[in-house]
Amino acid sequence: MAKVAFLLASGFEDSEMKNPYEAVKEAGHETVIIGLEKGATCDGKKGTVSYTADIGAAEAKAEDFDAVIIPGGGAPEALRVNDDVVRFVKEINQEDKLVAGICHGPQVMISADILKGKQATCYIGIRDDVKLAGAEYKDEEVIVSENVITSRTPKDEPAFIREILAKLA
């Protein structure tokens, strides 16, 4: 089974963490929450869920994981300015491992400079950023482009989860 990292900081979209996280765990994969600091509490923006970071981004090594998932909401803005988060996502991508982001999650991919030449989707508010990062933007519920999976909003979670589980199988 795969070892899957979830990149998290407070302000994430509750369901975009909760639903993929539970689906990945339920499928038998190991899940690890990577925060800005080990032990940091990460609260959802709607206040329905809260998680504790298992490890800090500085400790995260790509070789220890098979995939990384980046929930949306406000958290990606805090994550993308952290050099260790950006390094980790860049390294996961260089090893051709799964990088999945929903809603604002692709902001971290933009900062890691991994969207060039890929197809991607996202929350419409960052559509131009995704295009400027070199991706071909598509307004679809889920896009699988090589090792990268992207989705737009909570309503697209079923398709996002389906494609993640298919890639991990």
Side-chain angles (χ1 to χ4, degrees), residues 67-113:
V68 61
I69 298 173
I70 312 163
E77 193 65 44
L79 293 166
R80 74 185 301 191
V81 296
N82 180 284
D83 291 340
D84 291 312
V85 168
V86 172
R87 170 199 48 80
F88 177 70
V89 172
K90 202 176 279 210
E91 289 173 359
I92 287 270
N93 183 66
Q94 286 167 348
E95 293 184 16
D96 205 32
K97 295 176 179 176
L98 172 62
V99 181
I102 186 168
C103 189
H104 285 79
Q107 286 180 308
V108 179
M109 298 176 192
I110 292 166
S111 294
D113 195 27

Side-chain angles (χ1 to χ4, degrees), residues 84-149:
D84 291 312
V85 168
V86 172
R87 170 199 48 80
F88 177 70
V89 172
K90 202 176 279 210
E91 289 173 359
I92 287 270
N93 183 66
Q94 286 167 348
E95 293 184 16
D96 205 32
K97 295 176 179 176
L98 172 62
V99 181
I102 186 168
C103 189
H104 285 79
Q107 286 180 308
V108 179
M109 298 176 192
I110 292 166
S111 294
D113 195 27
I114 67 167
L115 291 179
K116 213 171 269 120
K118 301 243 168 72
Q119 295 180 342
T121 195
C122 58
Y123 175 70
I124 195 163
I126 64 165
R127 172 189 61 198
D128 292 341
D129 305 304
V130 165
K131 288 178 184 177
L132 289 169
E136 178 190 344
Y137 172 80
K138 292 185 169 227
D139 185 17
E140 296 175 17
E141 67 179 0
V142 66
I143 300 290
V144 179
S145 185
E146 298 169 24
N147 64 312
V148 174
I149 297 174

Side-chain angles (χ1 to χ4, degrees), residues 5 12 21-22 25 31 33 40 61 98 101 132 139 146 152 156:
F12 62 89
Y21 183 76
E22 289 178 1
K25 272 183 100 150
T31 55
I33 297 171
K61 294 182 179 78
L98 172 62
L132 289 169
D139 185 17
E146 298 169 24
R152 302 173 300 193
D156 299 325

